[in-house]
Amino acid sequence: MKDGVYMIPAVHWERRLFDSLIPLPDGTSYNAYLVEGSEKTALIDTVDPMKAEFLMEQLKDVKRLDYIVANHAEQDHSGCISLVLEKYPEAKVFATPKAKPMLMDLLLIPEDKIITVEDGETLSLGDKTLRFIHAPWVHWPETMFTYLEEDKILFTCDFLGSHLATSEMYATDECRVYEAAKRYYSEIMMPFRTSIQKNLDKLKDLTIDIIAPSHGPAYNKPEFIINAYHSWVFDEPGNIAVIPFVSMHGSVKKMVEHLEGALKERGVIVKPFDLTVTDLGQLAMALVDAATVVIGTPAVLAGAHPDAIYATYLANALRPKAKFISIIGSYSWGSKAIDQLSGLLANLKAEVIPPVFIKGFPKEADFKALENLAETIAQKHRENNLK
Ligand code: FEO
């Protein structure tokens, strides 16, 4: 990347699921970085244990390693620390005070191997200096960034990264990287928006030539990803309604189609997601900008459909900036779906618009109720000047 600074990207082209939860349509990478100073050498983060062999092969000509920086304790970055320590028994691990017990618990790293660093503390490698910047809650409590002062490189680990397998060191195809980074933000970072705002503010005082995350390509035009994060984190939501729904016999589908048409007529952008075929990453990305979320469900076993429950739980956990929420659905003989779904939405600071929950296939009065719902949504978007 620069003299004495190397990216070690373990590209995982074929991985399709992360944390047994998150779809990876574009694969991912785990980037470690090697920084060689005139006196000391440091490895910044490691890689997922699934790529341990690759990492050790890359290190085979590195005779001496003095420091391992653990910006984050999650195993896709810290999981090879023990292996690296076996090869370099003299090396010490640098981490935040909160990361230390996590590294001991998760990876069984001996306590005396770990040195804790305070916010702003520096570590000299001779002609290169690492500065540690505490950045809690992106996306665990112990996270930090490492800033290489002389080369103006900021190593951010998960923050500003993307699940994108690529052989390019830098984000050259910005459209593709933007989509992958937004997907990553929506799935991993969005619940911690307030902390991200504070951590973005912390970067204002740094001169940054390169942002080097530990997933996806690095950024030699840092403003590209910083500006994208600013808009995702700080901007008002758009004039957009997201409708995650499930339909069993067509009634809810008909309701969604009618609501979709009524919203469009009123100038609202609509994004329906049939949950039986939805990539949850696409839904999460749509939630980044949506002002309104309307969940559609049929009644199953007197409650909501399990797919609708899952999507509602996820929307609540991701804490999007939606301002309005509602539920539509259909039942045959009875349902507690409204109570059930409402109870899952406690995290969303959204105004609840009265649901439209009907018996059987929608009829004239039901279509009218859906048009009224569309009108209420459009009016609230106008009142809030959402664009
Ligand atoms: Fe890429 Fe939080 O680990």
Side-chain angles (χ1 to χ4, degrees), residues 374-385:
E375 183 54 37
T376 306
I377 291 168
Q379 192 180 337
K380 290 193 179 287
H381 286 199
R382 282 195 300 273
E383 285 167 5
N384 282 270
N385 202 24

Side-chain angles (χ1 to χ4, degrees), residues 284-347:
M285 272 192 280
L287 290 173
V288 173
D289 310 306
T292 295
V293 180
V294 180
I295 295 155
T297 184
V300 184
L301 301 172
H305 189 287
D307 283 356
I309 292 171
Y310 182 40
T312 306
Y313 174 85
L314 212 57
N316 184 61
L318 293 176
R319 298 170 182 251
K321 49 192 172 190
K323 290 176 178 286
F324 311 103
I325 189 144
S326 192
I327 300 166
I328 61 173
S330 166
Y331 66 96
S332 300
W333 43 265
S335 171
K336 294 198 166 97
I338 300 283
D339 291 345
Q340 196 178 30
L341 295 182
S342 303
L344 291 172
L345 289 165
N347 281 346

Side-chain angles (χ1 to χ4, degrees), residues 138-306:
V138 292
H139 59 127
W140 279 14
E142 88 301 357
T143 43
M144 71 171 180
F145 309 144
T146 300
Y147 181 60
L148 176 51
E149 293 183 346
E150 292 76 8
D151 294 303
K152 302 180 175 53
I153 303 177
L154 185 69
F155 301 94
T156 54
C157 202
D158 278 342
F159 191 54
L160 310 175
S162 62
H163 281 313
L164 179 61
T166 173
S167 56
E168 292 183 300
M169 181 182 286
Y170 293 110
T172 47
D173 183 347
E174 290 191 342
C175 286
R176 184 150 190 256
V177 177
Y178 183 93
E179 168 119 357
K182 185 173 187 181
R183 174 184 280 267
Y184 189 88
Y185 164 79
S186 68
E187 293 166 335
I188 312 276
M189 296 291 166
M190 189 158 65
F192 309 102
R193 209 166 64 246
T194 315
S195 303
I196 290 174
Q197 290 174 350
K198 287 183 197 137
N199 286 316
L200 279 173
D201 277 342
K202 269 190 156 182
L203 303 187
K204 277 186 187 153
D205 301 331
L206 294 178
T207 305
I208 302 170
D209 282 353
I210 295 172
I211 288 174
S214 289
H215 292 293
Y219 306 93
N220 53 1
K221 295 178 199 151
E223 65 282 0
F224 159 68
I225 193 66
I226 300 261
N227 291 344
Y229 259 68
H230 263 271
S231 78
W232 301 332
V233 167
F234 288 106
D235 284 1
E236 281 287 289
N239 178 24
I240 300 167
V242 166
I243 312 178
F245 74 96
V246 200
S247 190
M248 290 164 69
H249 297 289
S251 300
V252 175
K253 189 166 194 314
K254 189 76 187 168
M255 294 177 77
V256 169
E257 285 169 357
H258 198 77
L259 179 62
E260 181 187 343
L263 284 164
K264 276 191 206 158
E265 274 174 18
R266 289 161 177 81
V268 177
I269 296 164
V270 191
K271 297 185 181 177
F273 290 91
D274 179 338
L275 292 168
T276 59
V277 294
T278 289
D279 164 356
L280 288 173
Q282 292 282 351
L283 174 58
M285 272 192 280
L287 290 173
V288 173
D289 310 306
T292 295
V293 180
V294 180
I295 295 155
T297 184
V300 184
L301 301 172
H305 189 287

